[in-house]
Amino acid sequence: MKCAANIDARMVEETAINLDPIQVAGRLTPEAMKAVIAWGDGYSVCDNCRKPFRLDYIQNPPLKEFHVELAEWLGMAQARTVPGARRAFQQVAGTYVEKGDPVLIGALAHYTSYLSVEICRGIVREIPKTADNHITPDDAANRIEDVIREFGTAPKLLYIDHVDYQFGNMHDVRGVAKVAHQYDVPVLYNGVYTVGVMPVNGKDLGVDFVVGSGHKSMAAPAPSGVLAATEERAEEVFRTTQMTGDLTGRKFGIKEVGIIGCSLMGAPIVGMLASFPKVKARVEQFDSEMANSKIIVDALKSIEGTKILSEYPRKHTLTRVDTSGSFDVVAQTHKKRGFFLSSALGKKGITGIIPGATKVWKFNTYGMTKKQAEYVAETYLGIAEENGLRVA
Amino acid sequence: MKCAANIDARMVEETAINLDPIQVAGRLTPEAMKAVIAWGDGYSVCDNCRKPFRLDYIQNPPLKEFHVELAEWLGMAQARTVPGARRAFQQVAGTYVEKGDPVLIGALAHYTSYLSVEICRGIVREIPKTADNHITPDDAANRIEDVIREFGTAPKLLYIDHVDYQFGNMHDVRGVAKVAHQYDVPVLYNGVYTVGVMPVNGKDLGVDFVVGSGHKSMAAPAPSGVLAATEERAEEVFRTTQMTGDLTGRKFGIKEVGIIGCSLMGAPIVGMLASFPKVKARVEQFDSEMANSKIIVDALKSIEGTKILSEYPRKHTLTRVDTSGSFDVVAQTHKKRGFFLSSALGKKGITGIIPGATKVWKFNTYGMTKKQAEYVAETYLGIAEENGLRVA
């Protein structure tokens, strides 16, 4: 029984300012925490499951209403919850991609995009990134043509990240979707860094699917996510089972194939639901998040030898920075080597950056107050000056 | 924001004795509740994710150790966690089943077994149930022969429930597996009613895969489950990605295809981990669970006109009962109609049976004390007598 004896209480969010690239928008709201405590037991939300016996029809807690609101909020016809965005990718790929079928994916995409095609035995072709790390409609068009030449068919699907995980850059989803639709290629919008963080309207963007992450960006417990679709695509991706038992004649009603009936039967969906009002409200405040981000980005930028690798001005709170010419120079002679930076930050109550990283690293300022942003900026500048780096 | 305003705190387990067929073994332990509170935030367990960047390698909390212990405990070579047993079915089917491939499934199986084959575009053939509602090795052998005649190939996979969800009957897994292996058919053991409830050893049973449910039977939050495999099958079902970006040359290390890299990044896995010591201990006490079950089953059996539809003596705490000749007779003239029974039980603090059900229904006695079992038995007898039913 060694395992369990070692589970310490996690205190990260209580004791520090967290800059972790993937964690900051997934912290629970107090409402979500309360809901998770009350609904933590296994199949808790199934108390009042009645015909037609499907999670998204449960009225108490109001999961049915939640699913309807979720779709509206995303500008899509229908929405479902899934155990993580990756499972939404899998569900969409599983609907359209068979063995040997080509799928186009932006070259900055998360590995789960690629694996969701591999799991269907499909073949990935990449849309290249430009020199300034963007995925463009022109490149998408060229690659669709390449795929048609190679496979004799257009891609079965195209994945485009609105904001990518590598640079936090924003890509021209609308332009890419327009091009894709000229070839009748369905477009999967990867909104794991946007849905729940900034306003997203799938209809305005002209995409077929919107995928979001509950635990990354909707203040919900893992594993949770959303998959929303247009009416036309909903019929395909949310198709109900056609299975019949060959001996028994058993049928399974309106259970959906892609989600295998029900998805999030407890804590994650109640957490997502409980956070939803605040999440809806916070996306409207994205400007102030960017203002906070700017305070820290500009501070880092002012440290001689530091480069912001993400697009600038920033359009998202996730930023990639290169401190090879600043903090890493310090690391080479510091007695703590590369750990001097995380150690110095830790002493000031700042966490979430991989310990030892002094060359290229990412941080995410989402969810902090202006005062915290100023504190983080001052702390970085202070560490720079203490270690003999020049600040402009 | 109507949704969230309606989330009341759930008080079912605090205020009543719950007989819900699917909920009772998924209630959190106090240890799990504590862990969920501390680790509820989105990607909480990723704090200390280091190379090789995979959930089952994380050492704090001790997820790596947990995965190793889990496999040992189930008598299998390797284990992974998944977002629900259904996702384990999907993972196994996705490994072996291509379009048009036949899969054999016991006719008492849960709908998710069928849908996990449908999602891969496979074809289900059923192993019939006997007159006394069992799946037998002989029937499995006959159906394998049928499949070979029909498809020119043996089934790609065979699913067998150890204890089925319809009757809570126990099936001869060892015998079925032996037959299947004579035809080189891999066997998926569905242990959603056994893993975490009674001792399960996949090696002794001779199966290729053991699937369990965290939220059904391991005192963990949903959606959670386990998939364990023999060494030979682990190489297949837990294969790592072979994907390479065609332009970028990107590769994705040891991320596993079937699980799309990582699975339960927060509350569910920490809950499962925290409950694990108690779960390991409680499976050894299954005899006393059966003794409690017997108290209630025998009480119901003594009410004239009531039939136990499950095998008797019982081998599991999930039982199906037919009260068409007893409580349903009362319902026909009672002013509350079929709701008299749930209403009477509710007044006595007993819940979990679908309101209005007086003909065929199921209940699960798992996790109650002897005193609670006696109280439930007395309550049923009391309701019978108050309503003029004879008790033997």
Side-chain angles (χ1 to χ4, degrees):
Chain A
M1 309 300 147
K2 288 160 291 173
C3 290
N6 293 335
I7 312 181
D8 298 324
R10 180 178 187 262
M11 300 286 279
V12 173
E13 306 298 349
E14 291 80 357
T15 57
I17 298 173
N18 192 0
L19 299 176
D20 190 290
I22 64 172
Q23 290 181 336
V24 290
R27 285 176 290 220
L28 300 191
T29 58
E31 292 79 3
M33 180 55 81
K34 193 176 140 192
V36 166
I37 292 170
W39 294 83
D41 290 321
Y43 276 115
S44 60
V45 300
C46 308
D47 285 339
N48 298 295
C49 185
R50 303 285 177 263
K51 276 184 186 167
F53 299 118
R54 215 172 70 189
L55 187 82
D56 56 321
Y57 281 83
I58 291 175
Q59 300 204 25
N60 176 22
L63 302 186
K64 185 175 180 176
E65 201 178 339
F66 172 62
H67 281 82
V68 172
E69 281 190 29
L70 196 55
E72 276 172 23
W73 178 63
L74 293 170
M76 302 297 278
Q78 291 194 48
R80 300 290 183 276
T81 52
V82 289
R86 63 194 75 202
R87 295 297 183 168
F89 303 157
Q90 180 182 23
Q91 183 163 347
V92 176
T95 302
Y96 298 99
V97 182
E98 296 193 36
K99 193 174 181 173
D101 283 342
V103 174
L104 263 189
I105 294 186
L108 292 168
H110 195 246
Y111 78 89
T112 52
S113 299
Y114 291 79
L115 265 62
S116 70
V117 176
E118 185 174 9
I119 208 173
C120 302
R121 304 179 175 84
I123 297 175
V124 168
R125 290 293 174 256
E126 295 172 307
I127 307 170
K129 55 178 185 172
T130 59
D132 69 347
N133 298 305
H134 284 85
I135 306 297
T136 69
D138 280 353
D139 283 331
N142 290 335
R143 291 297 282 163
I144 292 174
E145 293 285 353
D146 287 348
V147 165
I148 292 171
R149 268 192 295 277
E150 183 182 359
F151 292 87
T153 174
K156 297 297 175 183
L157 209 54
L158 183 151
Y159 289 47
I160 178 73
D161 295 29
H162 196 178
V163 170
D164 71 86
Y165 82 103
Q166 295 193 38
F167 294 92
N169 286 354
M170 189 166 292
H171 306 282
D172 180 5
V173 170
R174 194 180 280 108
V176 169
K178 195 174 169 192
V179 162
H181 285 159
Q182 286 165 359
Y183 296 87
D184 295 324
V185 179
V187 175
L188 185 156
Y189 167 94
N190 181 346
V192 300
Y193 282 98
T194 54
V195 172
V197 160
M198 51 186 283
V200 171
N201 187 300
K203 192 176 179 183
D204 289 351
L205 294 165
V207 297
D208 300 84
F209 306 101
V210 170
V211 175
S213 171
H215 51 267
K216 189 170 263 156
S217 295
M218 297 177 74
S224 58
V226 302
L227 170 60
T230 59
E231 198 59 60
E232 178 198 352
R233 298 300 177 184
E235 282 178 25
E236 298 163 351
V237 78
F238 302 139
R239 70 197 176 283
T240 54
T241 175
Q242 301 300 311
M243 182 62 78
T244 307
D246 70 315
L247 298 182
T248 59
R250 291 176 69 190
K251 287 174 177 288
F252 307 105
I254 60 159
K255 299 289 190 186
E256 290 175 352
V257 181
I259 217 165
I260 323 183
C262 298
S263 53
L264 307 179
M265 309 82 162
I269 198 160
V270 178
M272 197 188 278
L273 172 59
S275 282
F276 193 44
K278 280 204 173 159
V279 164
K280 272 181 154 178
R282 80 184 190 182
V283 301
E284 306 300 334
Q285 307 303 320
F286 193 62
D287 284 353
S288 67
E289 295 289 344
M290 289 315 303
N292 290 339
S293 167
K294 188 171 163 52
I295 293 169
I296 299 172
V297 169
D298 287 352
L300 286 168
K301 212 163 171 281
S302 73
I303 300 170
E304 195 178 32
T306 295
K307 288 180 226 160
I308 304 301
L309 298 179
S310 305
E311 63 188 347
Y312 187 89
R314 303 291 308 117
K315 295 179 183 168
H316 194 272
T317 56
L318 171 68
T319 296
R320 188 176 197 170
V321 63
D322 182 347
T323 53
S324 303
S326 52
F327 291 126
D328 194 59
V329 174
V330 175
Q332 285 163 29
T333 56
H334 199 287
K335 67 177 192 291
K336 291 188 183 169
R337 313 294 295 180
F339 293 90
F340 92 91
L341 183 56
S342 48
S343 168
L345 289 167
K347 279 182 193 154
K348 295 286 189 173
I350 297 169
T351 190
I353 309 298
I354 295 178
T358 49
K359 289 175 181 153
V360 175
W361 47 279
K362 296 188 289 184
F363 64 97
N364 196 337
T365 63
Y366 196 78
M368 60 176 67
T369 61
K370 188 181 175 196
K371 208 168 167 183
Q372 286 174 320
E374 287 166 349
Y375 174 80
V376 172
E378 283 159 22
T379 303
Y380 272 114
L381 295 179
I383 295 170
E385 286 172 341
E386 276 165 28
N387 288 281
L389 296 172
R390 284 182 52 180
V391 172
Chain B
M1 310 301 147
K2 290 160 291 175
C3 289
N6 293 334
I7 311 181
D8 299 323
R10 181 178 186 261
M11 300 286 280
V12 173
E13 306 297 348
E14 290 81 359
T15 57
I17 298 174
N18 192 359
L19 300 176
D20 189 290
I22 63 172
Q23 289 181 337
V24 291
R27 286 177 290 221
L28 301 191
T29 58
E31 291 80 2
M33 180 55 80
K34 193 176 139 192
V36 166
I37 292 169
W39 293 84
D41 289 322
Y43 277 115
S44 60
V45 300
C46 308
D47 285 339
N48 298 294
C49 185
R50 301 286 176 264
K51 276 186 187 166
F53 300 118
R54 214 172 71 189
L55 187 82
D56 56 321
Y57 282 83
I58 292 174
Q59 299 204 26
N60 176 21
L63 303 186
K64 185 175 180 176
E65 201 178 338
F66 172 63
H67 280 82
V68 172
E69 281 190 29
L70 197 54
E72 276 172 21
W73 177 63
L74 294 170
M76 303 297 278
Q78 290 194 48
R80 300 289 183 277
T81 52
V82 289
R86 63 194 75 201
R87 295 296 183 167
F89 303 157
Q90 180 182 22
Q91 185 164 347
V92 176
T95 303
Y96 298 99
V97 182
E98 296 192 36
K99 193 174 183 174
D101 283 342
V103 173
L104 262 190
I105 293 186
L108 292 167
H110 194 247
Y111 78 89
T112 52
S113 299
Y114 291 78
L115 265 63
S116 70
V117 176
E118 185 174 9
I119 209 172
C120 302
R121 303 180 176 84
I123 297 175
V124 168
R125 291 294 174 255
E126 295 172 307
I127 307 170
K129 56 180 185 172
T130 59
D132 69 347
N133 297 306
H134 284 84
I135 306 296
T136 68
D138 281 353
D139 283 330
N142 290 335
R143 290 297 283 164
I144 293 174
E145 293 284 353
D146 287 348
V147 166
I148 292 171
R149 267 192 296 277
E150 184 182 358
F151 293 87
T153 173
K156 298 296 174 185
L157 209 53
L158 184 150
Y159 289 47
I160 178 74
D161 295 28
H162 196 178
V163 169
D164 71 85
Y165 82 102
Q166 294 192 38
F167 294 92
N169 286 352
M170 190 167 289
H171 307 281
D172 180 4
V173 171
R174 194 181 279 106
V176 169
K178 195 175 169 191
V179 161
H181 286 159
Q182 286 165 0
Y183 295 87
D184 295 323
V185 178
V187 175
L188 184 157
Y189 168 93
N190 181 345
V192 299
Y193 282 99
T194 54
V195 172
V197 160
M198 51 187 283
V200 171
N201 187 301
K203 192 176 181 182
D204 289 352
L205 293 165
V207 297
D208 299 84
F209 306 100
V210 170
V211 174
S213 170
H215 52 267
K216 189 169 263 158
S217 295
M218 297 176 75
S224 59
V226 302
L227 170 59
T230 59
E231 198 58 60
E232 178 198 352
R233 297 300 178 184
E235 282 178 26
E236 298 163 351
V237 79
F238 303 138
R239 70 196 175 284
T240 53
T241 175
Q242 301 300 309
M243 183 62 77
T244 307
D246 70 316
L247 298 183
T248 60
R250 291 176 69 189
K251 288 173 176 287
F252 306 106
I254 61 159
K255 298 290 189 186
E256 290 175 352
V257 181
I259 218 165
I260 322 183
C262 296
S263 53
L264 308 179
M265 309 81 161
I269 198 160
V270 177
M272 196 188 276
L273 172 60
S275 282
F276 193 44
K278 280 204 175 158
V279 163
K280 271 181 154 178
R282 79 185 190 182
V283 301
E284 307 300 334
Q285 307 302 321
F286 193 61
D287 284 353
S288 67
E289 295 290 344
M290 289 314 303
N292 290 341
S293 168
K294 189 172 163 52
I295 293 168
I296 299 173
V297 170
D298 286 353
L300 286 167
K301 210 163 173 280
S302 74
I303 301 170
E304 195 180 32
T306 294
K307 287 180 227 160
I308 304 301
L309 298 179
S310 304
E311 63 188 347
Y312 188 89
R314 303 289 309 117
K315 294 178 183 167
H316 194 272
T317 56
L318 171 67
T319 297
R320 187 175 198 168
V321 63
D322 182 347
T323 53
S324 304
S326 52
F327 291 126
D328 194 58
V329 174
V330 175
Q332 285 163 30
T333 56
H334 199 287
K335 67 177 193 293
K336 292 188 182 168
R337 313 297 292 180
F339 293 90
F340 92 92
L341 182 57
S342 48
S343 168
L345 289 168
K347 278 183 193 154
K348 293 287 189 173
I350 296 169
T351 190
I353 308 299
I354 294 178
T358 48
K359 289 175 180 154
V360 174
W361 47 279
K362 296 188 290 183
F363 64 97
N364 196 338
T365 63
Y366 196 78
M368 60 176 67
T369 60
K370 188 180 176 197
K371 208 167 165 183
Q372 287 174 319
E374 287 167 349
Y375 174 79
V376 172
E378 282 158 23
T379 303
Y380 270 115
L381 295 179
I383 295 169
E385 285 171 340
E386 276 165 29
N387 287 282
L389 296 173
R390 284 182 52 181
V391 172

